């Protein structure tokens, strides 16, 4: 009797290729850690925050009213009376970048209320037990506030253009405007979340937010040049990040003299310090 034919050799787990597949099953691929995972987590948190706009856009519509009134009423009136020296440009042109910064700050400065609401609803506790670093969580919320502020900035720019404000439409300059708006909003939202980590309640945060919003606005160069301020107010203006944001916006949109390197340096540093401060207090907020 002849021997039974030998079964053909096929690729199996015993072969070199099969061994590689088996190794993948036994040893999972190495996950990204540290700085490699941070950008992805920041973007993910930012997207989560922005998805809330899909369910309720009322906030965007209502917040567009105030900057429109500033330009239409305050800007038009002071342009006529010529009471504030603006270096030869119409006052409404001078005011428009300041109103962009103001509307961005007003959106961001109450961002801590949202994180307190998340604490009360139990959402924050669930977020803190995930592998997401606290700095990524805070940065995601901060940059989401910046994207919301960009929508407000577009509204102000459109209204200003309709009123005849002479602004640049250079794409690179507009990109610089977007970066300045996002960085400023990130700082003020982190400032709000830092205060939330200290006071722990919505009522206290609303009171403090209302107490510091207008002083920050009036102690900046948003409405008038720093040179005409009293000496003590000039000192406050120089340590106010809003002044550097307005200076950058005014230089980019109107082409006036600006210290862009200093402006962006202060905005980046302020945003980084804000993220660090809010991250350090996040655990206290969740207790």
């Amino acid at each position: 009797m002849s021997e039974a034919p030998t079964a053909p050799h096929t690729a199996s787990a015993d072969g070199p290729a099969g061994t590689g597949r088996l190794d993948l099953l036994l040893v999972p691929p190495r996950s990204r850690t540290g700085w490699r995972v941070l950008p992805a987590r920041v973007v993910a948190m930012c997207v989560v925050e922005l998805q809330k706009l899909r369910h309720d856009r009322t906030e965007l519509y209502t917040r567009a009213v105030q900057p429109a009134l500033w330009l239409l009423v305050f800007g038009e009136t002071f342009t006529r009376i010529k009471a504030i020296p603006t270096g030869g440009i119409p006052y409404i042109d001078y005011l428009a970048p300041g109103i962009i910064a103001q509307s961005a700050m007003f959106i961001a400065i109450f961002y801590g209320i949202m994180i307190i609401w998340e604490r009360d609803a139990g959402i924050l506790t669930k977020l803190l037990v995930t592998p997401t670093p606290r700095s990524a969580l805070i940065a995601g919320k901060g940059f989401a506030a910046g994207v919301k502020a960009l929508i407000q900035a577009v509204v102000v720019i459109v209204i200003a253009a309709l009123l005849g404000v002479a602004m640049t439409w250079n794409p690179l300059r507009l990109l610089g405007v977007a970066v300045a708006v996002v960085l400023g909003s990130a700082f003020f939202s982190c400032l709000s979340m830092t205060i939330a980590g200290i006071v722990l309640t919505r009522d206290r945060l609303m009171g403090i937010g209302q107490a510091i919003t207008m002083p920050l606005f009036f102690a900046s160069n948003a409405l008038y040049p720093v040179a005409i301020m009293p000496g003590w107010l000039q000192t406050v203006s120089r340590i106010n990040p809003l002044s550097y944001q307005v200076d950058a916006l005014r230089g980019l949109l109107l082409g006036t003299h600006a210290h862009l390197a200093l402006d962006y340096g202060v905005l980046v540093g302020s945003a980084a310090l804000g993220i660090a401060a809010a991250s350090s207090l996040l655990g206290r907020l969740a207790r």
Side-chain angles (χ1 to χ4, degrees):
M1 296 178 61
S2 60
E3 296 181 359
T6 304
H9 293 285
T10 59
S12 64
D14 297 330
T19 302
R21 298 191 190 100
L22 185 59
D23 289 343
L24 287 176
L25 294 174
L26 296 177
V27 182
R30 183 178 298 175
S31 60
R32 292 181 298 173
T33 57
W35 63 269
R36 298 177 184 177
V37 77
L38 190 61
R41 297 289 169 83
V42 170
V43 172
M45 291 305 305
C46 184
V47 170
V48 169
E49 289 295 317
L50 293 176
Q51 293 224 344
K52 298 174 183 177
L53 292 176
R54 297 175 58 188
H55 304 289
D56 186 9
R57 297 184 178 89
T58 306
E59 178 185 359
L60 296 178
Y61 303 144
T62 55
R63 288 189 180 275
V65 174
Q66 189 176 54
L69 290 176
W70 273 97
L71 284 175
L72 290 170
V73 178
F74 195 85
E76 289 284 354
T77 301
F78 276 75
T79 298
R80 290 175 180 273
I81 64 177
K82 296 180 173 62
I84 299 176
T86 56
I89 64 175
Y91 182 72
I92 193 168
D93 293 27
Y94 184 88
L95 179 65
I99 299 304
I100 292 174
Q102 179 223 43
S103 60
M105 181 184 68
F106 282 8
I107 287 177
I109 202 67
F110 293 104
Y111 225 75
I113 296 175
M114 186 180 302
I115 204 168
I116 293 178
W117 177 86
E118 289 179 352
R119 187 273 312 272
D120 295 341
I123 299 173
L124 184 59
T125 303
K126 295 176 181 177
L127 288 174
L128 289 178
V129 299
T130 66
T132 302
R134 294 182 180 183
S135 57
L137 195 154
I138 293 295
K141 290 180 177 294
F143 289 120
V147 176
K148 290 181 180 179
L150 278 179
I151 301 173
Q152 295 294 103
V154 171
V155 172
V156 176
I157 289 174
V158 170
I159 295 173
L162 293 175
L163 292 175
V165 174
M167 295 181 297
T168 182
W169 298 104
N170 184 303
L172 290 179
R173 287 180 172 266
L174 292 178
L175 179 61
V177 168
V179 173
V181 169
V182 170
L183 288 174
S185 300
F187 166 71
F188 287 113
S189 62
C190 289
L191 174 64
S192 179
M193 288 185 280
T194 300
I195 297 173
I198 297 172
V199 302
L200 301 178
T201 64
R202 278 175 282 185
D203 293 339
R204 291 175 183 171
L205 178 61
M206 288 185 66
I208 294 175
Q210 291 173 350
I212 67 174
T213 300
M214 297 312 292
L216 282 171
F217 179 49
F218 286 109
S220 73
N221 56 353
L223 297 177
Y224 28 69
V226 176
I228 67 172
M229 298 179 183
W232 65 270
L233 192 56
Q234 291 185 21
T235 303
V236 175
S237 178
R238 291 191 182 99
I239 61 174
N240 183 357
L242 188 66
S243 294
Y244 297 91
Q245 184 184 19
V246 174
D247 186 64
L249 294 176
R250 197 167 278 145
L252 291 168
L253 286 173
L254 303 181
T256 58
H257 177 70
H259 308 85
L260 292 180
L262 176 63
D263 296 335
Y264 281 106
V266 171
L267 290 175
V268 170
S270 300
L273 288 175
I275 291 171
S279 301
S280 66
L281 292 170
L282 196 59
R284 184 174 185 269
L285 185 63
R287 289 173 192 166

